[in-house]
Every structure is written in C-alpha cells, then in structure tokens.
Amino acid sequence: MDHYRVLGLSKNATRDDIKEAFRNLAVKYHPDKHSQSSNTVRENATLRFKQVSEAYEILSDDRKRANYDIRYSATNNKNYYSNNSRAGGYGNQYNNYGYGYGYGYEYKRPGSSSSNVGDGFVSKLEIALRFLTTRAFLLNAAFAGALLGGMFVIDKSKEAIWSMHNSGKSFEAAMESIEKARARKD
C-alpha cells in the first residue's frame, strides 16, 4: 500500500499538505458519517479510514516517514512488499520489522522466499557495510585511530627529545656509558 497514494499526495509533500489531506479524507471516510449507510458502504469507508489513518501516522512522523521512504522507494513493485501476517493488522506497531515500527509489511527481494532472505554473499556484504557505517563503529574506529596515532607520535618523539637535551650522544651511546660506569664501580 502506497501511503502517498492513499492520501492523494506526491512524495515531496510537506507536513501541512499531509495534515490537510488527512483531515479532508478523515472527514469523508469517518465511520460515524457512514453509520446509516449500507453495510458494504460502511465497511469500505471504515477500511478506507483505517488506511488513511495509518498513512497519516507514518507520513506525519519524520522518522517513520524516512524509514517508509527508504523501504518503499526501492521499487513500486508490490512483489517487494508482502503483507506480513505477524504484524497483526492495523495498529500493531511492534513486530519483527527491525526498528519498532510495524506497518504490516516486510521487504522481500525479487525471486527470494522468506526462508533464504539474508543468505548469500551480497546480503552478508550489505550487513557488513551497514555495520561498518554505524555511528558507534565509526566513533570507536576514530578513537582507536587517535590512540594509535598518539602512541606513534610519542614513540618517535622520544629520540628527538633525548637529542635536544643531550647533544652529542645518542640514547644507545648514553646507555652504554651508564653500563660501563656501573661495571667500573663494581
């Protein structure tokens, strides 16, 4: 189900456009307005009202909208999205969707069954790339790089500092003279 099409909007609709479209369609399809209508008209209006409400719930929230756009904009082919029976229908926001937003739909690759989704080199590569681009991984990598860089700089600067304070002798030569002095003392 294309939530933009349900509300009669384009993908670049603003929040005000979404709100206005929802209000107009909610008034048009509200179940109370159709309480005296025939049973089929009332059921159709109720179903349409639920679809409009679900579309508004997703598109009015920036995080849910971005997640929906990423998952749905890959293609408009309905084979990529199938109704997820685990979602439990309308109003169930907590299923195995991944981010806590369960809209009753899950992503499937073309030509794949639900048993082998995630198998194969490409899927494993995608998972690895997603992990490598997470904020936590990048922050840890930057911190580790800073520590290693600091250790390298300190190690290389040890000899430079020694030669600045002890001109004429290298560190090794100074250590040899200390050893000779200890041997003479004994």
Side-chain angles (χ1 to χ4, degrees), residues 12 26 55 57 64 71 74 76 102 107 138 144 151 159 164 178:
N12 57 359
E57 178 184 344
K64 291 179 183 180
R71 293 195 181 272
N76 290 332
Y107 178 77
L138 293 174
M151 289 172 44
E159 291 179 25
M164 282 190 326
I178 291 173

Side-chain angles (χ1 to χ4, degrees), residues 105-122:
Y105 294 89
E106 66 182 0
Y107 178 77
K108 288 187 179 179
R109 287 177 189 257
S112 69
S113 65
S114 61
S115 63
N116 67 2
V117 171
D119 290 346
F121 176 73
V122 174

Side-chain angles (χ1 to χ4, degrees), residues 150-161:
M151 289 172 44
F152 177 77
V153 167
I154 289 171
D155 188 48
K156 289 298 181 184
S157 65
K158 176 177 63 173
E159 291 179 25
I161 292 172

